[in-house]
Amino acid sequence: MTLLDEQRQAAQLAFAASGADLRVGDPAALPWPWPALRAGQGLQVRQHIDSGLSATIECVEAAGRLWCVKRARPQARVRNVDGQTSFLNEVQRRADIEALKRRDPGRWGALVDTVYADYRAGLIVSPWIAGGAVREWDARTLGQLFEAACALWLEGLFEWDLCAGNLLDDGRQLRLFDFGYCYRFDPLRQFNSAGRGDDQPLFHPAERFETRCYSACLLQLEQSQGQPAALAAFRRAKEAALPAYERMRAAVAARGASAAVLDWLDAICARWRVALRGEAEALYLAEAWRSHRLDLDDDLRGQSCTPTTLARADWLLATAQAHPAALRGALFWGEQALSPAALQAHLRALRAEAERFQLGQGQART
């Protein structure tokens, strides 16, 4: 059976090679003539952000307001097929999201609006989102994050890259604004868009947030304030995720989801409930291991490692040595069969790879 990743990548590469274009929105809604925007001429650029790996961002003033102009890089800096086709994928998802907004205008305030997007021109224009990076992961921001990610999941859109750089908060509403790694799947029959869709239960919306964003926050808390502070923040996230997952499970059940999908969601929720009734340390170690290990692998495959990648590798090495018993059942990808010494050697080799693939100064993995 062809894997979903292979099907998607083949389709994206074929579209990219075909010469066909994909556009979203109406260029007449833009506050500039299209040729001027495309050439970048005569624009009042207030801010230029060059840290993204697949695109740059300009904050441009026009018609009495601020606009976000996203320009695709000639060559994405993530060196795999998904990275090279991420801008195409984002334009496709912008089309999907605009359709969702037309269908239910009041539901999708957490997702950025698209004024106009043109794949071949390498341009996406949106209203500029006031605010910045999430300053505090509290009940509001966590609740809004899980609500948005689970709503996308229910629509058959699996967002893989819920990293800090793709989330903005204005103090009232958290918003998602980058969809280069958001892929289609069938939520009634599949868990996600990996593998065959029904054979990779490790990946789900809360895991994606923890792996791509929150686990790094918890790691910083561990390093600065100790594990009790990190554990308290971990519990706070699970307390926000559990009701979102219970609603997600009820919604997909009402639509006739398969027993495999329902059992999978039931198992996740049950595990969280048990942990929240106790100290949750065992779940914290297991899920932190999962997230650090997955993100290390993701950075290595994209050859897009950062100092955070190295910190994750160091945490894995230290935890494997200090808590081998607690990690029983948490290891995966065949690493559970390794002896403690072999696991340490394996992790050291991965860390050495991460050192070789460090990005240049100032580049962000988004």
Side-chain angles (χ1 to χ4, degrees):
M1 178 182 291
T2 304
L3 302 181
L4 297 181
D5 287 341
E6 295 172 351
Q7 293 174 357
R8 181 189 69 252
Q9 290 169 355
Q12 299 293 64
L13 290 172
F15 188 94
S18 72
D21 203 356
L22 176 63
R23 301 181 181 93
V24 181
D26 184 355
L30 297 171
W32 320 272
W34 173 243
L37 174 63
R38 188 167 184 174
Q41 296 176 345
L43 304 183
Q44 293 182 312
V45 179
R46 300 304 184 214
Q47 185 179 358
H48 183 82
I49 302 172
D50 192 41
S51 58
L53 297 183
S54 61
T56 62
I57 298 291
E58 297 166 356
C59 175
V60 184
E61 185 174 354
R65 61 182 297 185
L66 297 177
W67 306 81
C68 175
V69 177
K70 187 170 190 176
R71 297 183 186 272
R73 293 188 181 279
Q75 186 74 24
R77 293 172 176 169
V78 177
R79 299 176 184 178
N80 56 31
V81 174
D82 287 340
Q84 298 301 310
T85 59
S86 62
F87 196 84
L88 168 60
N89 193 78
E90 171 145 20
V91 176
Q92 292 169 334
R93 295 295 81 77
R94 295 287 189 124
D96 292 337
I97 290 167
E98 288 305 301
L100 291 174
K101 287 173 178 277
R102 289 192 297 271
R103 190 182 76 193
D104 191 351
R107 186 182 177 197
W108 301 99
L111 307 183
V112 65
D113 293 328
T114 301
V115 178
Y116 186 65
D118 186 314
Y119 164 59
R120 293 294 171 184
L123 282 168
I124 299 174
V125 180
S126 306
W128 184 260
I129 300 174
V134 178
R135 293 185 178 183
E136 181 182 4
W137 286 108
D138 56 16
R140 176 186 65 81
T141 50
L142 288 166
Q144 290 176 348
L145 180 282
F146 290 127
E147 186 68 26
C150 290
L152 283 171
W153 187 93
L154 284 168
E155 296 295 336
L157 297 173
F158 193 90
E159 174 54 67
W160 285 89
D161 199 16
L162 292 170
C163 69
N166 292 342
L167 306 171
L168 291 176
D169 183 46
D170 63 5
R172 297 182 302 276
Q173 177 64 58
L174 178 141
R175 289 183 175 86
L176 284 62
F177 71 94
D178 188 296
F179 305 97
Y181 296 90
C182 183
Y183 304 134
R184 288 182 174 276
F185 77 109
D186 178 3
L188 301 185
R189 301 290 178 267
Q190 298 169 336
F191 309 140
N192 49 56
S193 64
R196 298 191 308 269
D198 61 357
D199 62 338
Q200 300 288 334
L202 200 60
F203 305 107
H204 53 93
E207 172 276 319
R208 285 289 83 202
F209 167 62
E210 291 167 2
T211 295
R212 294 295 295 122
C213 178
Y214 203 55
S215 60
C217 299
L218 298 179
L219 179 57
Q220 291 175 350
L221 271 177
E222 264 198 62
Q223 293 171 337
S224 62
Q225 300 180 37
Q227 191 184 84
L231 187 56
F234 176 77
R235 289 182 64 92
R236 188 160 58 246
K238 285 293 181 276
E239 288 167 352
L242 180 56
Y245 268 56
E246 290 171 338
R247 292 190 296 271
M248 186 168 73
R249 196 270 186 205
V252 79
R255 289 161 49 188
S258 68
V261 168
L262 297 179
D263 289 347
W264 171 67
L265 290 172
D266 285 340
I268 293 171
C269 292
R271 191 179 186 199
W272 291 351
R273 290 189 197 100
V274 169
L276 289 173
R277 287 197 292 267
E279 295 181 356
E281 183 177 8
L283 183 65
Y284 171 73
L285 287 173
E287 296 205 345
W289 179 278
R290 173 211 64 199
S291 289
H292 292 316
R293 182 65 187 88
L294 288 174
D295 206 61
L296 172 61
D297 178 73
D298 198 39
D299 285 359
L300 289 174
R301 285 188 292 107
Q303 299 183 18
S304 53
C305 299
T306 68
T308 299
T309 315
L310 298 178
R312 291 182 186 276
D314 290 338
W315 186 94
L316 292 167
L317 281 161
T319 303
Q321 185 169 20
H323 302 284
L327 293 177
R328 292 194 189 107
L331 304 182
F332 50 91
W333 289 344
E335 293 173 359
Q336 63 271 32
L338 298 177
S339 68
L343 179 60
Q344 286 281 326
H346 175 57
L347 293 172
R348 284 195 295 271
L350 294 177
R351 191 191 190 284
E353 284 188 57
E355 288 180 337
R356 290 200 302 274
F357 293 145
Q358 288 291 296
L359 291 168
Q361 187 71 26
Q363 293 180 20
R365 190 193 171 283
T366 60

